[in-house]
């Protein structure tokens, strides 16, 4: 991300062509069957491993009907610098990572601070599938069927006070299980933040799965954020702390290169990254570039959050 300008990505780098075509056939067939509705909830979420099926209902109101990015690409072309900076590093180096048992510390400006177990945070009956576009700041994008719970539903249980103007998130630090942390590419732990109205927006998803299954480690197991109208780096993975704050929190990419990565980081084709244009993007698996849409295509839902703000200054 920080290190170089984006490379053009050939579909052949992602997955072998026949595999890709087969996968697409499989996905279409799955979609016709109403993929997620038909899945069985085989085990409770406690101790659930990557690949365990989740029972969900698709939220059509917020889902795009664009073609899904193949599962292989979603799970092998990743950014998760704690496991290394190459796109294949997270899938290759995350085998030792233990996403269960898990707990999340909640603190700051709220009435119910504490240490919550995974099961306290994630209520299985609330899980939804949402098909979102994910646009990375490096000018590639994917369409991913996520499984999660609206973040607002979780945050409200902790009863934020009127002083909670922002929410800060922190990723776990386990250098012994995360070999990329041996290098100081970022000031660990990975940190992100949202304004409280962004965090409470119905599109913001606290995510535990994809393609109807428990999240693989490389995609941020066991709990990550997905904020579809912002560049992908705001979607912090493997969250262990949620803090309600009065002041805007510091965030990893903003600390590392403030002139390149602002706090808001809304997808915006009008505001270039200092080293490359944000006008177009390459959808993984496609040859031709597409136009990038304002707020990644979610302007109808989120533009009002920023009315009156200069988005060139608040990038
Ligand atoms: N979270 C942590 N902890 N570490 C990271 O390096 N990378 C971010 C984001 N969350 C990252 C992270 C970036 S740059 C992107 S594009 C998305 O995760 C990628 O999510 P995906 O690999 O599931 O597609």
């Amino acid at each position: 991300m920080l290190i170089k300008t984006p490379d053009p990505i050939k579909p052949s780098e992602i997955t072998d062509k026949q595999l890709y075509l087969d996968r697409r056939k499989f996905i279409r067939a799955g979609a016709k069957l109403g993929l997620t509705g038909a899945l069985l909830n085989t085990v409770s979420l406690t101790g659930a491993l990557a690949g365990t099926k989740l029972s969900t209902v698709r939220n059509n109101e917020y889902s795009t009907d664009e073609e899904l990015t193949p599962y292989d690409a979603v799970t092998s072309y990743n950014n998760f610098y704690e496991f290394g900076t190459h796109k294949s590093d997270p899938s290759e180096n995350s085998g030792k990572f233990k996403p269960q048992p898990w707990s999340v510390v909640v603190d700051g400006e709220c009435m119910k601070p504490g240490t919550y177990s995974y099961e306290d945070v994630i209520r299985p009956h609330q899980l939804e599938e949402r098909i979102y576009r994910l646009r990375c700041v490096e000018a590639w994008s994917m369409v991913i069927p996520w499984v999660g719970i609206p973040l607002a539903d979780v945050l409200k249980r902790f009863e934020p006070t009127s002083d909670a103007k922002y929410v800060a998130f922190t990723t776990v630090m386990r250098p012994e299980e995360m070999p990329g942390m041996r290098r100081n590419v970022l000031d660990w732990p990975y940190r992100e933040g949202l304004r409280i109205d962004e965090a409470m927006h119905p599109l913001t998803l606290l995510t535990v799965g994809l393609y109807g299954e428990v999240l693989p480690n490389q995609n941020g197991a066991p709990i990550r954020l997905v904020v579809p109208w912002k560049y992908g780096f705001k979607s912090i993975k493997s969250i262990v702390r949620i803090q309600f704050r009065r002041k805007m929190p510091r965030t990893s990419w903003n600390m590392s290169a403030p002139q390149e990565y602002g706090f808001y980081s809304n997808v915006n084709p009008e505001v270039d990254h200092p080293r490359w244009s944000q006008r177009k993007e390459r959808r993984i698996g496609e040859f031709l570039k597409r136009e990038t849409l304002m707020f990644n295509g979610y302007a109808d839902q989120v533009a009002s959050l920023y009315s009156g703000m200069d988005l060139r200054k608040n990038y």
Side-chain angles (χ1 to χ4, degrees):
M1 238 174 89
L2 178 66
I3 294 144
K4 53 181 180 145
T5 46
D7 295 324
I9 305 144
K10 297 190 212 88
S12 57
E13 286 170 30
I14 308 300
T15 180
D16 154 78
K17 193 165 176 223
Q18 194 51 47
L19 207 66
Y20 171 58
L21 293 175
D22 289 348
R23 177 67 69 174
R24 271 153 75 120
K25 256 190 257 155
F26 167 76
I27 290 159
R28 288 218 190 86
K32 275 191 205 135
L33 286 172
L35 186 65
T36 49
L39 296 171
L40 297 173
N41 201 359
T42 43
V43 291
S44 83
L45 287 174
T46 314
L49 298 170
T52 304
K53 305 278 185 255
L54 294 167
S55 159
T56 61
V57 175
R58 178 170 301 166
N59 182 317
N60 288 323
E61 188 186 356
Y62 295 121
S63 289
T64 169
D65 55 8
E66 287 167 279
E67 183 148 19
L68 302 181
T69 303
Y71 178 87
D72 303 342
V74 173
T75 57
S76 65
Y77 189 86
N78 300 103
N79 277 334
F80 198 167
Y81 277 18
E82 288 86 335
F83 294 106
T85 54
H86 294 115
K87 297 288 180 272
S88 58
D89 285 344
S91 58
E92 287 168 8
N93 300 336
S94 61
K96 276 199 196 151
F97 183 72
K98 292 186 200 69
Q100 295 286 357
W102 196 262
S103 55
V104 179
V105 172
V106 177
D107 58 354
E109 310 295 336
C110 68
M111 302 306 286
K112 299 241 167 98
T115 301
Y116 291 88
S117 71
Y118 179 92
E119 291 72 26
D120 295 332
V121 179
I122 303 299
R123 307 255 163 96
H125 66 277
Q126 291 185 315
L127 292 179
E128 293 176 12
E129 181 181 66
R130 295 185 177 199
I131 303 172
Y132 281 163
R133 293 177 285 272
L134 180 91
R135 166 63 158 81
C136 187
V137 72
E138 297 160 302
W140 50 264
S141 63
M142 298 195 189
V143 177
I144 302 176
W146 300 108
V147 177
I149 300 179
L151 179 66
D153 288 351
V154 177
L155 295 186
K156 281 178 197 157
R157 285 192 236 133
F158 308 132
E159 298 179 18
T161 68
S162 56
D163 287 326
K165 307 283 190 236
Y166 295 89
V167 191
F169 304 88
T170 312
T171 293
V172 72
M173 286 238 274
R174 289 201 205 142
E176 58 298 346
E177 294 174 26
M178 301 171 117
M181 295 189 79
R182 283 182 217 131
R183 288 176 56 211
N184 291 328
V185 279
L186 286 171
D187 180 8
W188 312 115
Y190 195 100
R191 277 163 271 204
E192 257 311 332
L194 296 171
R195 218 170 55 191
I196 191 84
D197 56 345
E198 300 176 320
M200 293 291 190
H201 191 278
L203 278 175
T204 306
L205 199 67
L206 197 63
T207 301
V208 298
L210 55 81
Y211 268 98
E213 298 177 355
V214 166
L215 277 181
N217 289 345
Q218 60 269 31
N219 292 92
I223 303 178
R224 67 170 293 171
L225 215 58
V226 177
V227 194
W229 72 96
K230 293 178 179 280
Y231 291 118
F233 67 87
K234 298 294 287 183
S235 293
I236 182 172
K237 296 176 166 179
S238 305
I239 296 167
V240 288
R241 185 176 180 192
I242 298 176
Q243 189 182 37
F244 296 96
R245 300 185 51 136
R246 288 165 193 248
K247 297 215 169 114
M248 186 183 277
R250 303 187 75 200
T251 60
S252 290
W253 284 103
N254 182 250
M255 282 155 64
S256 127
Q259 68 290 357
E260 302 194 10
Y261 309 107
F263 176 80
Y264 287 96
S265 290
N266 294 317
V267 173
N268 189 343
E270 306 291 325
V271 179
D272 289 341
H273 183 280
R275 291 184 285 136
W276 60 82
S277 162
Q278 293 292 20
R279 290 212 165 273
K280 296 197 170 197
E281 68 199 56
R282 191 179 298 283
R283 180 72 48 88
I284 296 295
E286 292 181 355
F287 287 96
L288 296 175
K289 287 192 179 175
R290 315 171 155 240
E291 302 283 325
T292 286
L293 302 174
M294 188 63 200
F295 296 114
N296 200 24
Y298 299 96
D300 286 350
Q301 290 97 329
V302 300
S304 62
L305 296 176
Y306 309 101
S307 57
M309 278 175 72
D310 181 346
L311 298 181
R312 290 193 173 274
K313 286 197 186 125
N314 296 291
Y315 53 92

